[in-house]
Amino acid sequence: MTATDPNTIADGKYVELTYLVRDSKTGDVLTEVSRPLNYVHGVNEILAPMITRELEGKQQGERVDLLVDCNEVYGPRDESLVITEKLAVVPREYRQLGSQILMENNLGQMKSFLVTKIEGDTITFDGNNPLAGREVIYQVRILLVREATPEEQAYGGRVEDRPEE
């Protein structure tokens, strides 16, 4: 098979894939994307550039397992981004594990934080990417590879039908 094969990932090909991310030490599934994602290879990236590069030359129907040091993708964990507050000062809508909240620093920059722990009268927010500092395995399933249409090339992925305005 060559890169000219219609089912091989190369620049200008429309690709649909799903993936899951496993912790390389425990094998635990950290993230699973079961609804197919799509993109045009070489036009845009839906995964980290190092992962997209590894997909080049792979075939429709393949599963690709990639060991990724997330320090290279997201950087190391930054403990200064872990904030513990009194539960009473946090609005009720954010008092649930997994809730996301946008916080602004003293320079006016916004950052997303995740509620990671509620214990007693305290709540902990973490601004690190959940994969930061980990070594993980991306298991990518390539569902479809074909030539992208001119519209998909321009858009970078599937062009959805939109209702007439």
Side-chain angles (χ1 to χ4, degrees), residues 95-155:
R95 296 182 192 177
Q96 186 172 350
L97 283 177
S99 291
Q100 285 192 319
I101 182 172
L102 277 176
M103 294 188 195
E104 184 176 348
N105 68 13
N106 57 357
L107 301 174
Q109 300 164 321
M110 300 299 284
K111 176 128 183 83
S112 180
F113 283 74
L114 190 66
V115 175
T116 57
K117 184 165 59 169
I118 300 173
E119 198 170 75
D121 66 345
T122 63
I123 185 168
T124 303
F125 299 94
D126 191 340
N128 288 287
N129 182 291
L131 300 180
R134 295 181 186 241
E135 185 177 76
V136 299
I137 300 167
Y138 271 78
Q139 293 180 326
V140 181
R141 290 198 183 276
I142 303 165
L143 305 175
L144 177 67
V145 179
R146 62 166 169 73
E147 289 297 330
T149 67
E151 293 82 14
E152 290 166 340
Q153 284 272 357
Y155 183 70

Side-chain angles (χ1 to χ4, degrees), residues 30-132:
L30 304 173
T31 304
E32 184 169 7
V33 175
S34 56
R35 183 172 182 223
L37 300 175
N38 68 81
Y39 74 104
V40 175
H41 198 79
V43 174
N44 68 349
E45 295 176 335
I46 56 170
L47 299 172
M50 65 190 327
I51 296 169
T52 302
R53 277 192 305 274
E54 290 296 323
L55 294 177
E56 181 110 10
K58 302 297 191 261
Q59 301 268 318
Q60 178 176 308
E62 276 189 71
R63 185 180 105 184
V64 181
D65 290 3
L66 304 167
L67 184 64
V68 175
D69 178 354
C70 290
N71 287 313
E72 295 175 27
V73 180
Y74 306 109
R77 278 191 58 76
D78 180 351
E79 292 307 318
S80 73
L81 294 175
V82 179
I83 301 166
T84 300
E85 290 284 350
K86 291 280 186 196
L87 198 56
V89 301
V90 175
R92 288 198 186 280
E93 63 264 27
Y94 300 117
R95 296 182 192 177
Q96 186 172 350
L97 283 177
S99 291
Q100 285 192 319
I101 182 172
L102 277 176
M103 294 188 195
E104 184 176 348
N105 68 13
N106 57 357
L107 301 174
Q109 300 164 321
M110 300 299 284
K111 176 128 183 83
S112 180
F113 283 74
L114 190 66
V115 175
T116 57
K117 184 165 59 169
I118 300 173
E119 198 170 75
D121 66 345
T122 63
I123 185 168
T124 303
F125 299 94
D126 191 340
N128 288 287
N129 182 291
L131 300 180

